[in-house]
Amino acid sequence: MTNALFWLVPISSVLALLFAWYFYKQLMKTDEGTPQMKKIALYVRRGAMSYLRQQYKVVGLVFLVLVILFSIMAFGFGVQNKWVPVAFLTGGFFSGLSGYLGMKTATYASARTANAARTSLNSGLRIAFRSGAVMGLVVVGLGLLDISFWYLLLNAVIPAEAMNPAHKLCVITTTMLTFGMGASTQALFARVGGGIYTKAADVGADLVGKVEAGIPEDDPRNPATIADNVGDNVGDVAGMGADLYESYCGSILATSALGAAAFMGAGETDMQMKAVIAPMLIAAVGILLSIIGIFSVRTREDAKMKDLLRSLSFGTNLSSVLIVFATFGILWALQLENWAFIGGSVIVGLLVGIVIGRSTEYYTSQSYRPTQRLSESGKTGPATVIISGIGLGMISTAVPVIAVVAGIILSYLFASGFDLSNVTLGLYGIGIAAVGMLSTLGITLATDAYGPIADNAGGNAEMSGLGEEVRKRTDALDSLGNTTAATGKGFAIGSAALTGLALLASYMEEIRIGLTRIGETVLEFADGTSVLISEATFTDFMRYYDITLMNPKVLSGMFIGSMMAFLFCGLTMNAVGRAAAHMVEEGRRQFREIKGILTGESEPDYERCVAISTQGAQREMVFPSLLAIIAPIATGLIFGVSGVVGLLIGGLSAGFVLAIFMANAGGAWDNAKKYVEEGNFGGKHSEVHKATVVGDTVGDPFKDTSGPSINILIKLMTVVSTVFAAIFTANGLF
């Protein structure tokens, strides 16, 4: 029965890819619009593809170095599974592929969305959303396909006779975590590089075009406007796709590893197998229900912002309600131990995701008072807009943090049968809560990828001169996109907290395998007692390595982990600042030297601006990304296992709160500007508008570069620690 149910996983993944292909083909059948619209779309498409090619060259070199390192560890020193280098490569490849396919679709969809908006609001929404669905379905389809492939392969090539049968599944699941490192590494480069690119262009376009020249957003006279539109695709589509790909895979892989560990001691190989494939099955059914939700999204022509939000929410909520019933059915069919309460953990994960999404919507949408008050603060100038936005972002962290804390406690209690001493099953519950949160990622990511498509559609409409009515419709779609993007970022960050905790627990399991590889068989404690490593519990390892707050190694690691979150943000913020400065200088130069730009007699040099953003992003993304890999390795070599645990705890706790703050503050600043542009507080070109534009400029790297990159930082540091666990099994230099 269990083996038969497993085949639902690859079948669902193939079905997701087929529907993604169907939506893409439907998109390509629609009209791209006027010759001018096609020309603008071509500029954006060429710029996006050019950037991605450059990025993949840089990332390829990093991957080559890491593969050589893994190969030495596996074949030279024997401290790593020999499948690790290949698994790492496939994770990175599929992460990059999902971002590429999603971005390619988005660059074809923007002009078509603008053209559809000439007919009706609903037509524009339908094309933009279903184009976003291509990204959502590609991510979940490729993710589950890779997971099922590696599970089948490793299950076939690792002989059970060579080890304890229960130990075999632990080796399989921890080896599979390595492909999660490949996905995380690719995602971080995509997020950081894409974020630097898009915000350098956006800041340059806003400061030179809107503030200094006084021309509308996306005006074809603005030299940086094409680069800005390219950035929406490379940052918010390709970057977000790679980001959520690794979150999705990481949550499933970590939970499977915890499931293998939870039943290893008891020697219940059948129950162990059920615990391993349960998160895969939940994700598989989530794909099917996401497809149903995607087909349910539509709206009226006279829809307001709340109506548009309700349309998208209906599809997401429908999928979430259905997954609750499906989850209990799956767990019952598997007859997993304590299946009813474990199902409760999945519900907890879904509820946490909904709470974080609604909280983000409340604090960032111009339909609610916090953002409206932020707009009003512009009456007294840019300084008060910035102060109010920072305050709003800080306050907005309370609800997501409380939601995640409640989610951790409740999912732990449910899965453990309300037995706090049952640590392994409790941690399994936290992992499966993360799977529950991401189970409907197919439609959740569709609502997120919809945002940059709608934004680009508005830009195309403005540059093509489609008229006030069309621009009004694309503005409505764009404003909705800002909120869905902020909600998507909050969702990604929230899932990172639960996934990061599950990965932390998996790290301890990898320590067991690392000790076994170097020939250790027994844990000997200071009081003279001992326990076989094959039978040791999670608590035994915590005791053996003295992982307590009184251990200075743990405390040191916690401080380093907390620092990493702020250091990483600082590096990426400064990177945006430097790249944006070059863009501002170029914009001013073109206005000064190319006569007739403002009168429309001459066309700006768009390609030069695209090149500046590309070069800036490629140059600036390498060091912060490599730092995320180097930090856990250095900490492990110096402070050993206990120091790494401290690092991961500090990075997770500080990084989660900081990411929520930055994403929400940035989203609120953006929509505060949009609220003024709708005609409030003097409308466009007023002093309040200029103040909110400055706030939006400050918020750009907050919400699109530093904030969303932190959740990848959290998980990448954990996965790197897991992959290199074998060399940390000693106590380090201190």
Side-chain angles (χ1 to χ4, degrees), residues 15-29 126 130 134 137 291 295:
L15 193 63
L17 295 173
L18 287 174
F19 268 97
W21 177 81
Y22 167 76
F23 288 138
Y24 176 76
K25 297 302 288 186
Q26 290 296 110
L27 166 72
M28 296 306 289
K29 289 179 182 178
R126 182 186 175 93
R130 291 199 175 179
V134 174
L137 294 174
I291 292 169
F295 279 103

Side-chain angles (χ1 to χ4, degrees), residues 273-359:
M273 174 74 74
K274 293 174 180 178
V276 167
I277 71 167
M280 302 180 195
L281 286 171
I282 292 169
V285 174
I287 286 177
L288 304 178
L289 300 178
S290 291
I291 292 169
I292 294 172
I294 289 166
F295 279 103
S296 69
V297 174
R298 59 191 61 158
T299 192
R300 307 188 313 271
E301 176 57 30
D302 61 345
K304 306 295 183 189
M305 179 58 66
K306 286 186 177 180
D307 299 320
L308 291 171
L309 281 169
R310 196 178 297 115
S311 298
L312 293 188
S313 297
F314 177 79
T316 307
N317 293 339
L318 177 64
S319 300
S320 298
V321 170
L322 292 173
I323 195 68
V324 170
F325 295 100
T327 295
F328 280 99
I330 291 167
L331 296 174
W332 174 81
L334 287 172
Q335 286 298 296
L336 187 64
E337 184 181 304
N338 199 27
W339 65 268
F341 284 115
I342 290 174
S345 295
V346 175
I347 294 174
V348 168
L350 280 167
L351 290 174
V352 170
I354 291 169
V355 170
I356 291 175
R358 292 292 172 269
S359 170

Side-chain angles (χ1 to χ4, degrees), residues 374 377-391 669 687-688 690-692 694-695 698:
L374 180 57
S377 69
K379 290 178 178 178
T380 49
T384 48
V385 170
I386 293 168
I387 292 169
S388 300
I390 290 172
W669 273 317
E687 290 303 314
V688 176
K690 290 179 180 178
T692 54
V694 173
V698 174

